[in-house]
Amino acid sequence: MAKNFYSILKDLQSTLADESMEELCSIIKNIIFDKNKIADLANTLAQSGDKLNFPNLNTADIPSTGGPSSLSTIISPLILKEYFAVPKLGIIGRPAGGIDVLAQIQGYNLKLSKEEIYEIIDKTQYCHFISNNHFAPLDSKLFKYRSENNFKNVPGLVIASLLSKKVAVDIKNVCLDIRYSHFGNFGSSLEEARKLSDNFKLVSSLLGINSTFYFSDNTRLLQPYIGRGESLLAIHEYFLDTKNNWLNHHIEHDCREMVSTLTNHKIESPELKSIIIKNFTENIECQGGSIDSFENVVQKTRDSHIYEFSANKSGILSIDMMKMRDTIVKIQNKYSDKDHEFPDPCGLIFFKNQNEHISKNEAVLTFRVVENDLEYFKNELNKFIIID
């Protein structure tokens, strides 16, 4: 006799066995979406470890569904903390999530105890940290299993995973940054992403979380700095009043609008920049990081962009974002081990975006890569940069 959902969920809690994970993933994949089951799964994942509790604070977060070119998980909390307390439980991103980027700054402490998190939130309203097997550890184990066994893009599992982390740290308001694409995990089109957001809202309501949404096309570059060090370089360039309208639009429109969906208040641009600078500096220092290290990483990244990729003919530029992401991640994984969780062996800075006309011999981008992977990276560039 086949087990029902709740008996499988109980088995998973007690055994953590791959067999239970397979049964759970299969049943969620094959049944009609059930908001109550997904909410119960999210709660179970959240209850598997430590939980934070902020009874006297209005908390919020802006998580994302993943994508290679957004800075939202770094920038948006710096704006959001002006209105809410932001205990941000992050996960390793691909290729450059918020946690991965901040980890490049020497001394920045991502693995915090509950007491340290409470202290930082009390002092500054914002803290960015990783699970470290304390918060929703069962979600981390299930995510790893899903990634390795073709269950990564099952909508019910995606929703439960996202919300379990919010429940674990007592988030009461969420703007989900939905990046839809054929290679993403939250809809291949805007229409499909909107339908999934309706399901997300049903589940979040059951969990006592108010949810709003921001949609973007994950098949286009949202800003030109791609990589862990490059993301810090992008932030630094913004602080220095760069005239890069592409970068500025992403920060001052996309990231700001995500916050506005929760606050119904729009901060004007001159004030916005000063807020981001102040809160970035404050967060780095409160979590043990060094501003000098931030500056050093930025300079090292800038100096390492010694290679240029130019157009071999005139035409319209297109970029295969999935291949680009996979290329970077493959090289990162090569250098990842227990002593180097967040290696930074490569990155790109684009001068041109999709669908722009480019002339023969015109520079498309600069890049950096460790010497051992230079030929591989060059070959892959010719696969994910297309000019027609």
Side-chain angles (χ1 to χ4, degrees):
M1 182 177 175
K3 295 180 182 177
N4 66 30
F5 170 80
Y6 290 102
S7 64
I8 293 170
L9 193 57
K10 186 176 180 180
D11 287 347
L12 179 62
Q13 286 177 274
S14 60
T15 68
L16 302 180
D18 283 0
E19 181 183 355
S20 297
M21 292 191 190
E22 182 181 10
E23 290 175 329
L24 177 74
C25 292
S26 295
I27 199 169
I28 294 295
K29 182 177 182 178
N30 293 309
I31 63 172
I32 297 172
F33 182 84
D34 185 323
K35 63 181 181 180
N36 294 294
K37 286 185 172 67
I38 301 306
D40 288 338
L41 173 57
N43 261 325
T44 298
L45 298 175
Q47 298 288 347
S48 65
D50 288 338
K51 289 188 68 181
L52 299 178
N53 187 29
F54 299 97
N56 301 316
L57 294 177
N58 198 14
T59 53
D61 188 23
I62 299 180
S64 84
T65 60
S69 69
S70 178
L71 299 173
S72 71
T73 53
I74 307 171
I75 297 295
S76 294
L78 303 173
I79 310 168
L80 191 64
K81 65 155 281 188
E82 293 292 301
Y83 306 92
F84 298 93
V86 187
K88 186 166 185 62
L89 172 57
I91 60 172
I92 294 175
R94 294 290 184 264
I99 286 290
D100 314 69
V101 171
L102 293 169
Q104 305 307 312
I105 300 172
Q106 186 175 0
Y108 191 90
N109 188 4
L110 302 165
K111 299 176 179 180
L112 301 167
S113 68
K114 288 175 67 173
E115 291 71 25
E116 289 170 322
I117 294 167
Y118 283 135
E119 183 179 342
I120 293 170
I121 290 292
D122 184 59
K123 184 177 180 181
T124 74
Q125 291 252 109
Y126 167 49
C127 182
H128 204 147
F129 53 98
I130 199 167
S131 170
N132 197 28
N133 293 320
H134 291 305
F135 301 100
L138 181 54
D139 173 63
S140 299
K141 291 182 176 68
L142 184 59
F143 182 81
K144 183 175 186 294
Y145 178 85
R146 288 168 48 210
S147 300
E148 294 172 351
N149 293 277
N150 202 31
F151 288 109
K152 191 174 181 181
N153 300 338
V154 177
L157 295 171
V158 173
I159 292 170
S161 179
L162 284 164
L163 285 169
S164 70
K165 290 183 275 290
K166 305 311 137 192
V167 173
V169 299
D170 198 19
I171 294 294
K172 302 175 181 76
N173 303 275
V174 164
C175 172
L176 181 59
D177 175 12
I178 297 176
R179 308 171 194 167
Y180 58 89
S181 67
H182 65 281
F183 60 89
N185 60 11
F186 213 87
S188 59
S189 66
L190 178 57
E191 180 182 14
E192 188 177 343
R194 289 193 186 280
K195 289 179 181 177
L196 292 176
S197 73
D198 291 339
N199 289 341
F200 184 98
K201 195 169 190 70
L202 290 171
V203 179
S204 69
S205 295
L206 288 175
L207 297 169
I209 299 172
N210 166 54
S211 56
T212 62
F213 306 95
Y214 187 86
F215 299 89
S216 56
D217 181 355
N218 201 23
T219 63
R220 66 183 182 89
L221 285 170
L222 299 174
Q223 58 84 33
Y225 294 82
I226 311 301
R228 291 169 174 170
E230 282 71 19
S231 295
L232 291 177
L233 176 56
I235 293 168
H236 192 269
E237 290 295 296
Y238 176 69
F239 289 173
L240 294 179
D241 291 319
T242 175
K243 303 305 179 185
N244 190 316
N245 292 330
W246 190 1
L247 174 63
N248 290 344
H249 180 270
H250 176 57
I251 292 174
E252 297 185 351
H253 179 268
D254 296 339
C255 295
R256 176 168 56 180
E257 287 301 310
M258 293 175 203
V259 175
S260 295
T261 70
L262 292 173
T263 65
N264 296 314
H265 176 74
K266 187 171 184 177
I267 303 172
E268 296 304 317
S269 294
E271 183 187 6
L272 180 72
K273 179 169 289 190
S274 63
I275 286 171
I276 292 173
I277 292 173
K278 172 180 71 71
N279 291 342
F280 179 81
T281 303
E282 179 183 67
N283 175 251
I284 297 304
E285 292 176 343
C286 279
Q287 293 195 219
S290 159
I291 297 302
D292 285 344
S293 174
F294 165 61
E295 297 278 354
N296 290 339
V297 172
V298 166
Q299 190 60 51
K300 181 180 177 182
T301 302
R302 185 185 285 116
D303 291 345
S304 297
H305 272 257
I306 59 176
Y307 304 109
E308 185 175 275
F309 182 87
S310 300
N312 58 8
K313 62 179 179 179
S314 297
I316 302 299
L317 176 67
S318 63
I319 304 162
D320 188 322
M321 297 286 282
M322 182 173 71
K323 286 184 180 178
M324 180 187 73
R325 179 199 64 188
D326 291 348
T327 297
I328 297 172
V329 170
K330 183 175 181 178
I331 297 176
Q332 288 175 341
N333 288 343
K334 181 178 174 181
Y335 297 95
S336 178
D337 56 44
K338 65 179 182 178
D339 297 318
H340 301 90
E341 290 183 88
F342 308 100
D344 187 27
C346 58
L348 310 99
I349 301 174
F350 282 85
F351 303 131
K352 293 284 187 175
N353 203 348
Q354 284 101 321
N355 301 318
E356 286 191 43
H357 183 272
I358 190 163
S359 300
K360 184 177 181 179
N361 297 324
E362 189 176 3
V364 178
L365 57 86
T366 59
F367 67 95
R368 64 182 174 90
V369 65
V370 292
E371 189 173 352
N372 287 345
D373 297 295
L374 178 58
E375 291 308 311
Y376 167 75
F377 199 79
K378 285 180 177 179
N379 289 335
E380 294 303 303
L381 273 170
N382 283 297
K383 295 177 184 177
F384 65 75
I385 305 292
I386 303 108
I387 300 168
D388 288 319

